[in-house]
């Protein structure tokens, strides 16, 4: 979950009864999945938009998986770049699965379950942390130890909650250590003089009510379009036609 999106929702609540509208719409949209999955044409609940979690460790960069090399764990499907990567995952899935259900690790400290871009990640102490976008990753880095501690404490109580209802609840009832986007951006600029960090999150209500985790990365909203391996929007399939 991105800081800018949380800040937008917070400001909107003061001017219009936005959460009343959101609560009604939420009933229509459903509570959301418990992990950052998307459903494929084969009926899989796919994690990481089909990117290879083992590749984050072995290659230190985003590695695209293939739908022909897959493995499932507790109803969640992962794609891999090689059979060796799949074997490594099968031998120790807990080692390679992303933290906090694959949702943005910058939202998890606040109880928010949103955003998932497999090209934005960090590895700390053998754990894979995924972010919703570059903004979320950069701002998480400002307080990474505190963020990990808060998210680790919160996750057991929200792991089985649908991402839409949990994110709305987190916006309504903010944790005491909540940090707003403006304050974080001030700190980021202090640490990165002369640099700017701009990213269009697509709107908080749009994200929580009408879209799905990872939609901006998949569809190429303000960034490179990733698509999903083996699906109609797979850029490799399009290139081969």
């Amino acid at each position: 979950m991105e800081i800018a999106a949380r800040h937008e929702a917070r400001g909107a609540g003061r001017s219009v009864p936005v959460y009343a509208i959101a609560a009604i719409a939420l009933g229509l949209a459903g509570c959301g999945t418990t992990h950052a999955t998307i459903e494929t044409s084969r009926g899989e609940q796919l994690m990481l938009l089909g990117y290879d979690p083992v590749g984050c460790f072995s290659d230190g960069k985003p590695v695209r998986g293939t739908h022909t090399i897959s493995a499932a764990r507790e109803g969640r499907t992962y794609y891999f770049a090689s059979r060796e990567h799949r074997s490594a995952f099968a031998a120790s899935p807990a080692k390679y699965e992303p933290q906090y259900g694959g949702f943005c690790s910058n939202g998890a400290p606040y109880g928010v379950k949103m955003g998932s871009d497999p090209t934005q990640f960090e590895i700390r102490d053998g754990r894979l942390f995924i972010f919703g976008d570059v903004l979320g990753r950069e701002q998480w880095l400002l307080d990474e130890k505190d963020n990990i501690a808060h998210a680790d404490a919160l996750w057991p109580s929200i792991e089985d909650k649908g991402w839409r209802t949990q994110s709305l609840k987190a916006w309504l009832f903010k944790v005491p250590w909540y940090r707003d986007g403006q304050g974080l951006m001030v700190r980021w600029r202090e640490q990165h003089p002369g640099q700017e960090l701009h990213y269009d999150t697509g709107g908080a209500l749009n994200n929580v009510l009408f879209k799905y985790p990872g939609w901006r990365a998949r569809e190429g909203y303000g960034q490179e379009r990733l698509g999903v391996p083996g699906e109609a929007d797979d850029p490799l399939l399009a290139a081969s036609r």
Side-chain angles (χ1 to χ4, degrees):
M1 171 58 187
E2 308 70 25
I3 297 297
R6 285 189 280 106
H7 177 69
E8 177 183 341
R10 187 180 187 187
R14 290 193 292 267
S15 57
V16 295
V18 66
Y19 291 118
I21 298 171
I24 296 172
L26 191 61
L28 300 176
C31 64
T33 55
T34 59
H35 290 63
T37 58
I38 59 169
E39 186 169 0
T40 70
S41 59
R42 292 167 293 281
E44 303 157 318
Q45 290 298 313
L46 181 65
M47 292 286 290
L48 301 178
L49 298 181
Y51 272 65
D52 183 342
V54 178
C56 295
F57 292 87
S58 64
D59 294 40
K61 63 181 181 180
V63 177
R64 189 177 184 276
T66 175
H67 65 289
T68 59
I69 306 177
S70 64
R73 187 192 190 207
E74 298 178 357
R76 302 182 294 278
T77 297
Y78 292 88
Y79 293 168
F80 303 92
S82 67
R83 289 177 174 80
E84 290 77 14
H85 282 193
R86 180 174 64 185
S87 295
F89 180 87
S92 185
K95 174 181 177 180
Y96 296 108
E97 277 209 298
Q99 303 299 301
Y100 319 130
F103 293 105
C104 181
S105 297
N106 195 46
Y110 307 100
V112 174
K113 300 175 73 174
M114 286 181 64
S116 187
D117 181 348
T119 68
Q120 298 294 328
F121 71 90
E122 294 285 343
I123 294 176
R124 295 291 186 273
D125 298 323
R127 302 169 69 188
L128 176 59
F129 297 91
I130 297 293
F131 302 93
D133 53 51
V134 63
L135 183 66
R137 182 175 63 82
E138 287 292 321
Q139 295 189 337
W140 179 85
L141 289 170
L142 294 172
D143 300 290
E144 60 178 88
K145 290 184 178 180
D146 283 349
N147 286 329
I148 291 172
H150 287 310
D152 285 352
L154 280 177
W155 182 246
S157 66
I158 67 174
E159 179 177 5
D160 294 330
K161 303 291 194 305
W163 69 266
R164 283 195 174 98
T165 48
Q166 175 56 39
S167 296
L168 185 60
K169 179 181 178 182
W171 281 337
L172 287 169
F173 306 102
K174 292 180 175 59
V175 294
W177 52 87
Y178 175 79
R179 298 185 178 102
D180 66 49
Q182 284 186 331
L184 287 171
M185 282 310 301
V186 168
R187 291 180 54 204
W188 188 89
R189 290 189 180 100
E190 289 174 348
Q191 294 187 18
H192 301 81
Q195 299 182 41
E196 288 295 330
L197 184 62
H198 297 293
Y199 187 85
D200 184 354
T201 64
L205 292 183
N206 186 41
N207 276 283
V208 75
L209 296 179
F210 305 113
K211 289 295 188 175
Y212 54 91
W215 73 273
R216 288 166 300 151
R218 180 181 185 177
E219 299 175 19
Y221 186 86
Q223 62 187 90
E224 180 182 359
R225 181 175 67 86
L226 301 182
V228 174
E231 298 298 297
D233 60 355
D234 183 345
L236 296 187
L237 289 180
S240 65
R241 290 170 185 161

